[in-house]
């Protein structure tokens, strides 16, 4: 049977790769199977690889291509060979049968669309692109807003010729793919007017950690090319997949507003061009929450249909506001990682900070920074150096492969530089404004191991790499849990064999994401002019400074809670000391000076006091948002440093006033056991709370009367002291007697094997550890309990 020269997208499926290439096969698959699920995919048709081969034969191009590729093999420059092939192909004429086929399909598309001469996007689709084990995308050309039969006919040879761009030739050479085995299909797709709307990319996993329960969206105003190429710093959203099915929830874990410095629009002549965005466009996100959730739900359905994590391109038509999926392909980096081990990088020094940007991955690299303005300067680059550029595109890949790290001025997590760096397994920082002006010639350390923001330090700093083997982990009666402060780190440890988070410290979130004292946000009239201006800048785009605090705190808590959902995540309310609170923006106006903040105005005593009650109210609002709006009801809240039963009652009453009621909607409330009164009155505290978490540092300090920060007394500070051990034994027994669970979140079980043994024998319910201690302590506890391998 003779292969057709063309067909509607609906005629094809993912089984037709050889006929219409990866891109068009995917479009056909989605239109055939996913339109009925409400996913909008623009209509169109494809010219098949049979049309491509007919074009080659009609113009005697096979011989031209073979001759030029032989010249390349003999040493001719790639740029010269590629240009010769493309020039010959562009000069070729379409066979009459093919030209007639294109005309007929285009007229029919206009009838289907209800518009004569419909604007179309003409895209290349290679037979070796968009495969689960290849990253071919972006090597061929696309032509946008093509209107009319003659313009469409003229674009087809140009698409065919793009199979021999320099980057495509080099890619096939590098991967050992015979050029003659690859053919090209052309997709003609109804144009989505994202030039007056917005466009972007979505992944159905976390691109930095491989965490499978997220949809990561990025987007910007205008055509999507700026997002893909990293020309702009886009808006970004993290959506939690397991809760998307509940229409009553808004499971957006976090949303950040990118600079979106430019947008790609169509010129009066109809060709793409970049223009600067307005201040309003830069301040606003390009999608509403409802639109984000719609795209995320579509992505989840696409992933379910394909059975693997997906890389999806979306577009919003600015004329009618409609959303579309314009492409989907298997994700080829994180989804292929081995899950039997986890590698971690730890920076062991510090130095002057040169630039910061968005961290890609979690690696650290060092080397001499070499800034290239274009690939014309590629001969300046040295193997193992740090590549610095304004942005990258596929032409840069040969240089990127020689780099120890990549740093770009612009771009987001789905930019070309980010995607290729992940694929190459190298450190990268994107969106580092000014990097190409600052870094050239410096010996630098590129660190992506310190959270979502990456840092380039001046000088070569020491660091270490550790690998945790996660194979054949044992099971234990005692729950092994995590201590977490940084939301980004929580995502990185999702593979660890733990049963939730035993201590989520929100101080890190407040300090690094909210940055300002909550009372300063509520009462800016009490601040200096400089602090008021700083807060106005910090909270720009929010309805109020208080809403900014709630949003940022909720985002941090939600990311931590999602990383272990549905396991319990115990979130401790803020436990800064007064001197630490004072260090927040605007904090000095609201904090007293104390000689010994360690045992001063901290923890529970603040929550009902007029000096902080309103600030505690914002913390409660953030918890409610995480549990009730986002839907992460695995969040357990915990009260720190609660000295008396009366204080416990007052704090619980404050929480009720803010809509957090123990027992309602499954809310559990724990209390830290870190003061002798918590031990002595464990049964009475247990009647008010659902569980205890032992803070061994403070409990040791207050039991022995030793200032834990006093170096002169360091030899006396020991959690293994018999007085401390007896207190813990008593607490566990009394708590269990009234039906309360008991865990511990200190460092002692990691540092002292005998202390872990003591806890297990005392019957503790959970041990919460720093991530690097999980595997050895889990193995130790399993041995103590006599567990068998799972």
């Amino acid at each position: 049977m003779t292969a057709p020269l063309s067909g509607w997208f609906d005629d094809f499926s993912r089984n037709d790769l050889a006929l219409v290439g990866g891109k068009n096969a995917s479009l056909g698959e989605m239109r055939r199977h996913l339109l009925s699920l409400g996913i909008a995919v623009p209509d169109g048709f494809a010219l098949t690889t049979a049309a491509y081969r007919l074009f080659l034969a009609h113009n005697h191009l096979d011989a031209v291509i073979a001759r030029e590729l032989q010249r390349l093999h003999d040493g001719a420059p790639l740029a010269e060979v590629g240009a010769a092939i493309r020039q010959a192909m562009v000069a070729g004429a379409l066979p009459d049968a093919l030209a007639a086929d294109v005309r007929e399909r285009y007229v029919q598309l206009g009838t289907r669309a209800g518009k004569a001469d419909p604007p179309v996007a003409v895209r290349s689709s290679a037979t070796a692109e968009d495969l689960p084990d290849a990253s071919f995308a972006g090597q061929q050309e696309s032509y946008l807003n093509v209107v009319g039969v003659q313009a469409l006919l003229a674009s087809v040879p140009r698409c065919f010729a793009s199979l021999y761009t320099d980057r495509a030739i080099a890619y096939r050479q590098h991967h050992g793919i015979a050029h003659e085995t690859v053919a090209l299909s052309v997709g003609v797709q109804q144009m989505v007017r994202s030039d007056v709307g917005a466009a972007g990319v979505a992944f159905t996993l976390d691109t930095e950690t491989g965490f499978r329960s997220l949809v990561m969206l990025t987007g910007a105003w205008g055509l999507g090319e700026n997002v893909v190429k990293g020309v702009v710093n886009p808006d970004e959203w993290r959506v939690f997949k397991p809760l998307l099915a509940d229409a009553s929830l808004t499971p957006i874990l976090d949303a950040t507003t990118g600079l979106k410095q430019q947008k790609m629009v169509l010129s009066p002549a109809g060709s793409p061009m970049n223009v600067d965005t307005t201040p309003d466009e830069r301040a606003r996100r390009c999608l509403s929450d409802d639109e984000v959730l719609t795209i995320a739900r579509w992505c989840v359905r696409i992933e379910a249909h394909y059975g693997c994590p997906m890389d999806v391109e979306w577009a919003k038509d600015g004329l009618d506001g409609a959303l579309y999926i314009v492409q989907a392909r298997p994700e080829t980096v994180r989804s292929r990682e081995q899950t039997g081990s986890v590698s971690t990088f730890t920076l062991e020094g510090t130095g002057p900070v040169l630039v910061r940007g968005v961290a890609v991955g979690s690696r650290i690299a060092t080397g001499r920074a070499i800034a290239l303005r274009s690939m014309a300067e590629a001969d300046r680059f040295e193997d193992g150096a740090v590549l610095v550029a304004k942005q990258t595109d596929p032409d840069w890949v040969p240089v990127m492969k020689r780099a120890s790290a990549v740093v770009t001025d612009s771009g987001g997590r789905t930019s070309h530089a980010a995607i290729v760096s992940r694929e190459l397994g190298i450190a990268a920082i994107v969106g580092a404004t000014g990097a190409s002006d600052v870094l050239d010639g410096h010996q630098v350390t590129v660190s992506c191991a310190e959270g979502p923001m990456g840092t380039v330090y001046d000088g070569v700093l020491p660091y270490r790499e550790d690998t945790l083997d996660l194979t054949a982990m044992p099971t234990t009666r005692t729950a092994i849990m995590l201590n977490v402060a940084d939301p980004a780190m929580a995502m990185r440890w999702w593979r660890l064999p733990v049963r939730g988070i035993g201590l989520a410290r929100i101080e890190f979130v407040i300090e690094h994401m909210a940055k300002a004292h909550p009372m300063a946000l509520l009462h800016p009239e009490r601040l200096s002019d400089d602090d008021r201006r700083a807060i106005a800048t910090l909270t720009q785009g929010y309805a109020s400074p208080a809403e900014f605090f709630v949003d940022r705190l909720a985002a941090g808590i939600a990311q931590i809670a999602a990383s272990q959902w549905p396991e319990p995540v115990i979130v401790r309310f803020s436990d800064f000391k007064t001197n630490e609170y004072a260090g927040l923006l605007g904090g000095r106006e609201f904090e007293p000076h104390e000689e010994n903040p360690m045992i001063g105005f901290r923890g529970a005593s603040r929550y009902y006091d007029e000096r902080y009650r309103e600030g505690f109210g914002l913390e409660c609002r953030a918890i409610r948002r995480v549990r009730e709006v986002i839907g992460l009801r695995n969040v357990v809240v915990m009260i720190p440093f609660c000295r008396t039963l009366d204080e416990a009652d007052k704090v619980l009453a404050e929480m009720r006033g803010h809509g957090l009621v123990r027992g309602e909607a499954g809310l559990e409330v724990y209390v830290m056991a870190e003061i002798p009164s918590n031990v002595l009155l464990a049964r009475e505290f247990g009647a008010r709370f659902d569980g205890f978490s032992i803070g061994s540092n403070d409990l040791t300090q207050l039991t022995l009367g030793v200032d834990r920060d006093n170096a002169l007394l360091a030899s006396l500070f020991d959690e293994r002291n018999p007085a401390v051990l007896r207190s813990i034994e008593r607490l566990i027994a009394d708590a269990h007697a009234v039906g309360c669970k008991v865990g511990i979140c200190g460092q002692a079980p990691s540092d002292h094997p005998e202390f872990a043994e003591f806890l297990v024998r005392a019957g503790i319910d959970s041990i919460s550890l720093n991530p690097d201690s999980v595997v050895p302590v889990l193995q130790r506890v399993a041995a103590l309990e006599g567990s068998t391998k799972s």
Side-chain angles (χ1 to χ4, degrees):
M1 180 178 175
T2 304
L5 296 179
S6 70
W8 298 107
F9 288 151
D10 311 57
D11 298 333
F12 304 113
S13 73
R14 55 179 157 172
N15 297 321
D16 293 312
L17 288 169
L19 190 60
V20 292
K23 188 174 292 165
N24 289 336
S26 176
L27 288 169
E29 182 77 13
M30 289 191 291
R31 282 193 58 85
R32 288 182 75 171
H33 299 287
L34 300 179
L35 287 180
S36 61
L37 299 179
I39 299 174
V41 181
D43 196 6
F45 62 92
L47 306 184
T48 67
T49 53
Y52 169 75
R53 297 197 186 282
L54 177 64
F55 173 77
L56 294 187
H58 181 74
N59 293 282
H60 309 291
L61 290 168
D62 287 306
V64 175
I65 294 169
R67 182 185 70 239
E68 290 299 325
L69 290 176
Q70 182 59 48
R71 289 182 59 232
L72 178 66
H73 179 74
D74 294 340
L78 171 60
E80 181 181 306
V81 167
I85 295 174
R86 294 192 300 275
Q87 184 177 2
M89 294 181 77
V90 169
L94 293 183
D96 290 343
L98 178 56
D101 204 282
V102 171
R103 288 191 188 93
E104 183 178 355
R105 292 282 182 189
Y106 183 66
V107 170
Q108 290 176 356
L109 180 62
T111 302
R112 290 159 71 122
K115 181 179 182 180
D117 288 342
V120 292
V122 184
R123 304 182 191 277
S124 308
S125 177
T127 56
E129 131 183 285
D130 294 348
L131 304 180
D133 57 353
S135 184
F136 240 68
Q139 294 178 15
Q140 282 79 49
E141 299 298 334
S142 297
Y143 300 93
L144 304 178
N145 203 45
V146 176
V147 179
V149 169
Q150 292 309 312
L152 175 57
L153 290 172
S155 68
V156 172
R158 295 203 299 270
C159 273
F160 286 155
S162 71
L163 188 60
Y164 286 91
T165 61
D166 296 350
R167 70 186 77 141
I169 295 171
Y171 184 93
R172 292 194 291 270
Q173 298 271 94
H174 178 78
H175 289 274
I177 300 172
H179 296 284
E180 65 274 10
T181 65
V182 180
L184 197 81
S185 166
V186 175
V188 180
Q189 188 175 42
Q190 197 170 336
M191 181 76 182
V192 177
R193 290 299 305 275
S194 58
D195 57 299
V196 290
V201 177
F203 286 86
T204 61
L205 46 58
D206 182 3
T207 54
E208 304 315 311
T209 67
F211 182 53
R212 297 296 183 90
S213 293
L214 285 190
V215 176
M216 289 274 301
L217 271 84
T218 58
W221 304 112
L223 299 170
E225 188 173 2
N226 281 347
V227 176
V228 174
K229 287 189 173 181
V231 175
V232 299
N233 299 343
D235 297 331
E236 182 176 301
W237 298 265
R238 294 166 178 254
V239 185
F240 191 52
K241 289 196 289 191
L243 299 178
L244 275 169
D246 189 335
S248 69
L249 301 176
T250 305
I252 299 174
L253 303 182
D254 190 22
T256 56
T257 304
L259 292 176
K260 305 183 296 295
Q261 307 95 317
Q262 294 179 311
K263 63 178 179 180
M264 184 171 284
V265 299
L266 297 176
S267 71
S271 59
M273 59 178 286
N274 269 322
V275 297
D276 290 342
T277 48
T278 65
D280 176 65
E281 288 172 324
R282 296 182 188 190
R284 278 191 300 124
R285 295 179 193 134
C286 63
L287 292 174
S288 68
D289 284 355
D290 286 344
E291 290 169 334
V292 168
L293 295 176
T294 294
I295 294 171
R297 290 188 178 105
W298 287 355
C299 289
V300 169
R301 291 169 193 162
I302 292 169
E303 180 182 55
H305 178 76
Y306 278 83
C308 64
M310 298 296 288
D311 170 358
V312 177
E313 295 178 22
W314 60 267
K316 178 181 177 179
D317 193 308
L319 299 181
D320 60 13
L323 296 171
Y324 295 92
I325 299 298
V326 295
Q327 192 49 245
R329 62 182 70 88
E331 194 275 342
T332 59
V333 180
R334 295 297 180 194
S335 57
R336 298 171 63 195
E337 289 180 332
Q338 298 299 314
T339 59
S341 64
V342 175
S343 292
T344 66
F345 289 77
T346 305
L347 196 62
E348 296 187 316
T350 189
V353 174
L354 296 177
V355 294
R356 284 193 171 96
V358 176
V360 176
S362 59
R363 304 180 71 88
I364 299 174
T366 61
R368 188 166 86 91
I370 299 179
L372 303 182
R373 297 186 182 279
S374 71
M375 280 298 293
E377 299 181 341
D379 58 346
R380 288 184 49 229
F381 196 75
E382 304 165 0
D383 288 352
V386 174
L387 173 63
V388 184
K390 291 188 179 299
Q391 65 201 53
T392 67
D393 61 35
D395 291 333
W396 290 73
V397 172
V399 173
M400 295 174 74
K401 289 177 178 177
R402 299 164 54 203
S404 63
V406 174
V407 183
T408 63
D409 287 9
S410 61
R413 298 183 193 280
T414 56
S415 64
H416 177 270
I419 291 171
V420 173
S421 295
R422 288 188 202 100
E423 188 173 289
L424 296 175
I426 60 176
I429 297 175
V430 297
T433 304
S436 59
D437 296 323
V438 172
L439 300 182
D440 193 40
H442 285 263
Q443 290 288 338
V444 299
T445 299
V446 179
S447 174
C448 298
E450 301 169 272
M453 299 302 292
T455 304
V456 180
Y457 295 95
D458 196 11
V460 175
L461 304 179
Y463 68 92
R464 72 172 193 273
E465 179 181 2
D466 300 305
T467 301
L468 298 178
D469 183 0
L470 303 182
T471 58
M473 284 291 101
T475 57
T476 58
R477 176 198 65 78
T478 308
I480 302 301
M481 305 177 80
L482 274 181
N483 295 332
V484 171
D486 182 350
M489 292 302 177
M491 291 291 178
R492 286 180 181 164
W493 293 109
W494 68 275
R495 288 192 179 100
L496 283 180
V498 297
R499 282 146 67 183
I501 292 174
L503 175 62
R505 307 179 184 94
I506 67 169
E507 294 82 23
F508 180 96
V509 178
I510 293 174
E511 183 176 2
H512 293 275
M513 294 177 68
K515 301 182 181 179
H517 195 292
M519 294 298 289
L521 295 170
L522 288 162
H523 295 285
E525 73 279 358
R526 294 173 56 181
L527 303 177
S528 68
D529 290 344
D530 286 346
D531 282 354
R532 270 200 302 274
R533 280 192 292 269
I535 283 178
T537 300
L538 179 67
T539 62
Q540 185 178 7
Y542 285 85
S544 68
E547 172 57 25
F548 163 81
F549 182 88
V550 173
D551 178 79
R552 293 294 79 209
L553 183 55
I557 294 170
Q559 290 174 73
I560 293 172
S563 72
Q564 291 295 324
W565 189 89
E567 299 286 357
V569 171
I570 302 172
V571 177
R572 186 180 68 188
F573 284 113
S574 66
D575 193 27
F576 282 125
K577 285 73 174 175
T578 49
N579 58 319
E580 296 167 335
Y581 269 115
L584 297 173
L585 176 59
R588 299 199 182 280
E589 294 296 324
F590 299 92
E591 296 298 331
H593 172 75
E594 295 184 303
E595 293 300 327
N596 192 350
M598 188 73 74
I599 55 173
F601 186 46
R602 62 175 284 204
S605 63
R606 298 178 63 90
Y607 304 157
Y608 57 88
D609 189 283
E610 290 301 328
R611 286 168 288 190
Y612 191 73
R613 282 182 69 183
E614 292 175 280
F616 182 62
L618 297 185
E619 295 184 33
C620 292
R621 279 176 55 188
I623 292 291
R624 286 193 65 185
R625 183 170 297 182
V626 171
R627 286 178 52 85
E628 299 171 18
V629 178
I630 298 174
L632 292 161
R633 295 188 183 275
N634 60 326
V635 167
V636 177
V637 294
M638 183 159 65
I639 310 301
F641 223 77
C642 187
R643 294 171 169 97
T644 69
L645 298 173
D646 180 59
E647 191 163 70
D649 292 336
K650 289 179 178 178
V651 172
L652 291 169
E654 284 293 323
M655 290 173 58
R656 281 194 297 273
H658 294 291
L660 290 176
V661 182
R662 179 188 171 209
E664 286 191 4
L667 177 64
E668 291 189 329
V669 184
Y670 279 36
V671 66
M672 290 288 294
E674 51 194 346
I675 305 170
S677 61
N678 303 140
V679 177
L680 297 172
L681 298 174
R683 294 182 182 234
E684 290 83 353
F685 275 104
R688 292 161 168 82
F689 296 100
D690 298 288
F692 293 90
S693 183
I694 299 167
S696 57
N697 285 339
D698 274 333
L699 185 60
T700 301
Q701 171 178 246
L702 296 173
T703 298
L704 300 180
V706 174
D707 179 355
R708 73 189 200 201
D709 291 335
N710 190 329
L712 296 175
L713 303 175
S715 62
L716 296 175
F717 187 90
D718 190 343
E719 297 98 326
R720 297 166 295 176
N721 184 281
V724 179
L725 299 181
R726 191 168 299 177
S727 294
I728 292 174
E729 283 180 319
R730 176 172 176 174
L731 173 72
I732 293 172
D734 286 352
H736 285 173
V738 295
C740 272
K741 292 172 280 191
V742 182
I744 187 168
C745 54
Q747 183 64 20
S750 305
D751 295 339
H752 308 299
E754 69 275 19
F755 190 80
E757 180 176 356
F758 158 76
L759 293 171
V760 171
R761 299 198 187 285
I764 201 159
D765 297 292
S766 64
I767 299 174
S768 193
L769 305 160
N770 293 332
D772 58 352
S773 302
V774 165
V775 171
V777 174
L778 177 62
Q779 293 169 332
R780 191 179 305 145
V781 168
L784 290 169
E785 294 179 351
S787 297
T788 58
K789 296 278 185 181
S790 58

